[in-house]
Amino acid sequence: MTGHEIRRRTPGGETITEPVISETQRFSDRLRRPISNLRWWIGGILFASTVINYIDRQTLSLLAPYLKIEYHWTNSDYANIVIAFRVAYSIGQTAFGRLMDRTGTRRGLSLTVAFYSAVSILTSLARGFYSFASFRFLLGAGESANWPAATKAVSEWFPKRERGLATALFDSGSSIGGAVAPWIILWIYFRWGWRPAFAIPGTLGFLWLMVWRRFYHPPESHPRISEAELAMILADRSDSRPTLEAHTGLSWRQLLRLPQTWGTIIARALTDPVWFFVTDWFPIYLVAKGVELRSGLIAIWIPFIAADLGNFFGGGVSGYLIKRGWSLGAARKALVIFGGLGVTMLIPTVFTSNLYLIAFLFALATFCYAAFSTMANVLPSDLFHSQSVATVSGMSGTAAGLGTIVAFKLIGHFSDVQQAAAGHSFDPIVIVAGLVPLVGMVLVLLLVRNTKATRQGLVRPV
């Protein structure tokens, strides 16, 4: 026997030589073996990133009723702290969207997740209004990269019939993160105080980075992708024939001349503020309604679970309609109509203080919102070529952030002004929140269509 071969005798008496395969080599071979349906594993990693992103950002809103008492904040003070996050988040989405298109998803998301996880941990050192606002500004800057990066990854890894469901998968992380956050954050708070409630969840991002750096690569260079899956992804890309400008990436000015860009921007600008009202103000809204948070946990997490179901409903139904022969645009717009109409279910909550009825109506509204939101998030990958996807996604995120900033400023002001109205101080705010996505629905239907730019190959047909 040599160092790399072994001789053995067969039952017939013949001597044969076989190579010796070490355990190290066997393990190495397993690591190189293609992973079945690798794109959905990638989708799962993006989902986990969004969950962690939302747990970190939900910490402040969940602790706000207690921090307001400890630091003597008014609703306007709290609004200004949240706005600090939104300002950085708004600017960052466009900036990081462009960065993702230029440097790639893997490197860009690695840097931003490491940054915002560190900021989340450091928030435990805050001492008052200005330090909280500063840390929230930095957190918003870091977290702003998640949606442009995930949208770009979906455009690279998934064919158009699966993009809706893939987008629903990573976008659902926001509702899952929002749903589990109360159980994690409040559990830590009631045992150890608010500082550990910021620091402990911040470590999750660093754990996620270990998985991300190991497993994420573009499909063309991924060592674990099967030939069949790669061929399927590349075949779907060949369906559209981009011009040279689209292939190299359109400038911001070129993109802003397209109605499809404005439809994508409006789809988020007139829906995201409603979602962020739920995520950042819902605990305060319940307290204004006379609900004690210890007994109202069910009302906090049920709308988030409903939103998670709405994500998959929107992605799944639109994909099903495409398989049944609907055009891409018709399938997406059907869910936009469903979502725009459904969010009006927020309005009846002004007529009740019943915890379970409020939770039910918010759940209906967030379910429908999430279906709309999934379509809003998938539009950049539907309409634009890979070199512009993250840029357009970032622009729409910036518009959504600016809309949220304006909304939060108004919410803080009017809820303080109507403080004497007790449970009714948020009624006008909730009514407007139920109507704004309806306006967004109409504008998206008008703007997202095939135009001269489609025929020129600057955008994809729908």
Side-chain angles (χ1 to χ4, degrees):
M1 182 179 69
T2 68
H4 301 284
E5 295 179 341
I6 184 172
R7 293 179 180 178
R8 68 179 181 86
R9 190 177 298 276
T10 66
E14 182 182 358
T15 300
I16 61 174
T17 301
E18 295 179 335
V20 175
I21 301 176
S22 67
E23 287 302 317
T24 301
Q25 185 175 352
R26 292 179 191 274
F27 180 72
S28 178
D29 289 342
R30 284 197 297 270
L31 289 180
R32 290 194 296 268
R33 189 179 304 161
I35 299 175
S36 178
N37 295 313
L38 178 60
R39 64 194 184 280
W40 291 108
W41 289 94
I42 297 296
I45 296 172
L46 295 171
F47 162 80
S49 172
T50 309
V51 170
I52 294 168
N53 187 291
Y54 255 76
I55 290 174
D56 283 347
R57 75 170 68 178
Q58 281 298 103
T59 304
L60 180 65
S61 63
L62 288 165
L63 299 179
Y66 309 104
L67 293 172
K68 282 178 62 183
I69 295 172
E70 181 172 344
Y71 290 101
H72 309 291
W73 296 338
T74 64
N75 282 340
S76 292
D77 291 331
Y78 172 68
N80 287 330
I81 294 174
V82 176
I83 285 171
F85 175 96
R86 294 296 161 197
V87 168
Y89 195 81
S90 302
I91 297 170
Q93 291 220 39
T94 292
F96 284 120
R98 200 64 168 176
L99 178 69
M100 294 297 167
D101 278 332
R102 292 185 174 181
T103 65
T105 308
R106 184 173 186 267
R107 181 186 302 172
L109 201 54
S110 296
L111 292 172
T112 55
V113 171
F115 176 77
Y116 78 67
S117 297
V119 171
S120 181
I121 294 172
L122 291 173
T123 304
S124 62
L125 303 177
R127 290 290 184 269
F129 174 85
Y130 290 105
S131 54
F132 269 105
S134 298
F135 281 122
R136 295 305 284 186
F137 180 89
L138 295 173
L139 187 72
E143 292 198 342
S144 66
N146 189 78
W147 265 256
T151 302
K152 182 175 178 64
V154 166
S155 74
E156 293 174 342
W157 273 92
F158 291 87
K160 60 178 176 290
R161 68 179 181 275
E162 294 179 347
R163 277 187 223 124
L165 196 56
T167 300
L169 176 60
F170 85 73
D171 194 37
S172 70
S174 60
S175 44
I176 292 294
V180 302
W183 305 98
I184 297 173
I185 303 304
L186 294 178
W187 183 83
I188 296 172
Y189 169 76
F190 288 126
R191 281 159 181 77
W192 298 303
W194 68 262
R195 297 184 191 278
F198 279 99
I200 294 173
T203 62
L204 296 175
F206 292 107
L207 298 176
W208 177 88
L209 273 173
M210 298 178 189
V211 178
W212 174 252
R213 296 293 298 176
R214 184 175 183 83
F215 285 102
Y216 188 85
H217 302 276
E220 295 89 342
S221 60
H222 204 293
R224 305 293 301 277
I225 192 171
S226 68
E227 293 183 5
E229 186 170 22
L230 179 60
M232 181 266 293
I233 293 170
L234 296 180
D236 185 80
R237 291 185 192 174
S238 68
D239 289 345
S240 58
R241 295 179 294 278
T243 63
L244 178 62
E245 291 85 355
H247 181 74
T248 57
L250 300 175
S251 68
W252 280 320
R253 180 176 295 182
Q254 289 173 307
L255 289 168
L256 289 173
R257 290 173 180 169
L258 303 173
Q260 293 92 336
T261 303
W262 286 103
T264 303
I265 289 172
I266 288 170
R268 289 192 61 188
L270 298 186
T271 57
D272 275 24
V274 177
W275 173 247
F276 293 130
F277 165 66
V278 176
T279 61
D280 290 345
W281 289 89
F282 195 38
I284 293 175
Y285 172 66
L286 290 177
V287 171
K289 285 279 192 178
V291 177
E292 207 283 319
L293 287 188
R294 283 181 183 267
S295 62
L297 276 178
I298 188 171
I300 294 176
W301 68 264
I302 282 181
F304 288 97
I305 294 298
D308 188 55
L309 297 175
N311 282 131
F312 288 103
F313 175 81
V317 170
S318 66
Y320 172 78
L321 294 176
I322 292 170
K323 291 179 181 178
R324 291 295 301 269
W326 286 45
S327 70
L328 182 65
R332 303 303 193 217
K333 289 178 180 180
L335 274 299
V336 168
I337 294 170
F338 171 82
L341 294 174
V343 177
T344 59
M345 287 296 100
L346 286 175
I347 297 173
T349 63
V350 305
F351 301 112
T352 181
S353 295
N354 182 280
L355 172 63
Y356 297 103
L357 185 54
I358 291 172
F360 174 72
L361 291 171
F362 264 83
L364 287 178
T366 55
F367 178 91
C368 297
Y369 155 81
F372 193 153
S373 173
T374 298
M375 298 304 99
N377 280 302
V378 80
L379 281 177
S381 57
D382 280 341
L383 293 167
F384 298 92
H385 299 288
S386 179
Q387 294 75 13
S388 298
V389 168
T391 300
V392 175
S393 177
M395 292 165 67
S396 66
T398 293
L402 293 175
T404 303
I405 290 168
V406 173
F408 279 16
K409 198 68 178 174
L410 294 174
I411 290 170
H413 172 73
F414 285 108
S415 60
D416 278 340
V417 167
Q418 300 188 64
Q419 194 82 42
H424 301 287
S425 61
F426 280 86
D427 287 357
I429 297 165
V430 172
I431 292 171
V432 172
L435 293 176
V436 167
L438 199 62
V439 177
M441 175 198 80
V442 174
L443 293 174
V444 170
L445 297 180
L446 293 174
L447 292 168
V448 176
R449 65 187 192 279
N450 294 325
T451 62
K452 181 181 178 181
T454 311
R455 296 189 295 272
Q456 293 174 338
L458 298 175
V459 293
R460 291 169 166 167
V462 292

